[in-house]
Amino acid sequence: IGSDGIVLVNTGSATTTDQVLAALKTLTDLPIRYIINVDAGADFVGGNEKLAKAGYTIFTNALGGGATALPNGGGASILSHDSVLREMSKVKPAYASGALPNEAFFTPRKAIRMNDEGLEIFYQPAAHSSADSFVLFRASDVVVAGDVMDTTRFPVIDVANGGSIAGEIAALDRLIDLTIAPTPFIYKDAGTYVVPGHGRVSEQMEVVDYRDMVVLVRDVVADLMKQGKTLDQIKAARPALPYETRYGTQAGATNAFIEAIYKSLQAKKS
């Protein structure tokens, strides 16, 4: 939030837009100017249309023609990597046109400047899915990570939609690189804040711990595969056991993670 208005990363589900708008009203009367989508999931983009319409574009149209001639009908711009637009375009029933990103970029990095602050959007290929990005607020020292990181469960790796264990680990490594620990004044603040797709706001060492967990479980599954174990045998061996009480409490979370690692490593071999 700043003099240019609100930059909103993700919009939540369609059922929570009124709550989001009410929460924003407690912070500022300024309009939403930009919405940035870091994921194509309905829980990230479901509120796009309503929240964009509640905002105002930063662009002007010198040729006239009213709001219909302006980007996104005069509402807030929706910005994402092209992969998010492509995934949203596949959904049935289709999203309304006003819900789709009207600014899509193809490069690994997109930078804009809003509210006297540099914002960088980094595309993370083949991580949790084929449509993941991070948003770094440079002056605020905050990174929005999307579902690459989820402090409530093991990562959800959607192999069918382009996700992979290698891409997930690479994305977590990149996330660590984007963060700064509060050294040497370790008691002064938390350093870079990381906002995960679900769960609590985290700091660098929590991302490191999460990455190390993913790597350790990946290595155990890979070793069991080398021994010729089947997927069912690997699940029975419980390779994620040390972390199940923390990340495996949701029904099916552990088995889904193990299966995604197995399928991902199997695909890599072939």
Side-chain angles (χ1 to χ4, degrees):
I1 297 171
S3 58
D4 297 328
I6 299 170
V7 178
L8 187 65
V9 182
N10 303 318
T11 56
S13 65
T15 59
T16 60
T17 50
D18 289 338
Q19 293 170 262
V20 174
L21 282 170
L24 291 173
K25 281 294 183 184
T26 67
L27 300 172
T28 181
D29 289 325
L30 292 168
I32 300 169
R33 296 291 200 170
Y34 256 100
I35 292 167
I36 303 173
N37 290 149
V38 302
D39 189 298
D43 54 339
F44 287 87
V45 304
N48 275 10
E49 182 182 24
K50 191 169 182 178
L51 288 170
K53 285 181 177 178
Y56 297 101
T57 180
I58 64 169
F59 300 105
T60 58
N61 179 18
L63 299 177
T68 56
L70 291 168
N72 219 24
S77 293
I78 304 175
L79 172 64
S80 77
H81 187 267
D82 178 67
S83 58
V84 173
L85 175 58
R86 284 188 279 110
E87 287 301 313
M88 289 182 67
S89 299
K90 296 177 186 176
V91 174
K92 302 295 180 186
Y95 283 106
S97 60
L100 298 173
N102 63 295
E103 289 187 47
F105 64 94
F106 298 84
T107 53
R109 172 184 174 271
K110 171 76 174 178
I112 63 173
R113 189 165 185 86
M114 292 285 293
N115 298 323
D116 300 318
E117 175 165 20
L119 280 71
E120 295 180 273
I121 309 165
F122 299 97
Y123 175 53
Q124 302 301 309
H128 140 265
S129 70
S130 63
D132 294 302
S133 297
F134 298 145
V135 182
L136 170 64
F137 290 79
R138 295 174 70 178
S140 302
D141 202 13
V142 172
V143 187
V144 182
D147 264 351
V148 169
M149 184 174 177
D150 182 341
T151 66
T152 69
R153 61 177 293 161
F154 291 113
V156 177
I157 302 174
D158 191 351
V159 178
N161 284 310
S164 71
I165 186 62
E168 171 72 13
I169 292 169
L172 288 169
D173 285 338
R174 182 70 176 281
L175 185 56
I176 293 166
D177 287 342
L178 292 175
T179 61
I180 300 172
T183 53
F185 299 105
I186 59 174
Y187 302 110
K188 190 174 181 180
D189 59 39
T192 306
Y193 284 115
V194 176
V195 182
H198 301 273
R200 68 181 185 280
V201 174
S202 303
E203 57 187 46
Q204 187 190 69
M205 282 311 300
E206 290 172 292
V207 184
V208 172
D209 289 344
Y210 195 79
R211 188 276 316 271
D212 289 351
M213 174 273 293
V214 174
V215 170
L216 189 147
V217 178
R218 186 276 314 267
D219 289 348
V220 175
V221 172
D223 185 61
L224 291 169
M225 289 176 70
K226 285 180 183 178
Q227 298 174 32
K229 303 290 187 183
T230 65
L231 175 58
D232 287 340
Q233 288 173 325
I234 291 172
K235 288 179 179 178
R238 299 180 72 182
L241 180 61
Y243 303 101
E244 284 182 12
T245 54
R246 182 170 180 182
Y247 299 113
T249 55
Q250 294 185 33
T254 304
N255 280 342
F257 182 46
I258 301 305
E259 189 169 333
I261 295 173
Y262 180 87
K263 288 181 177 178
S264 189
L265 292 175
Q266 200 173 48
K268 185 179 179 182
K269 287 197 299 182
S270 59

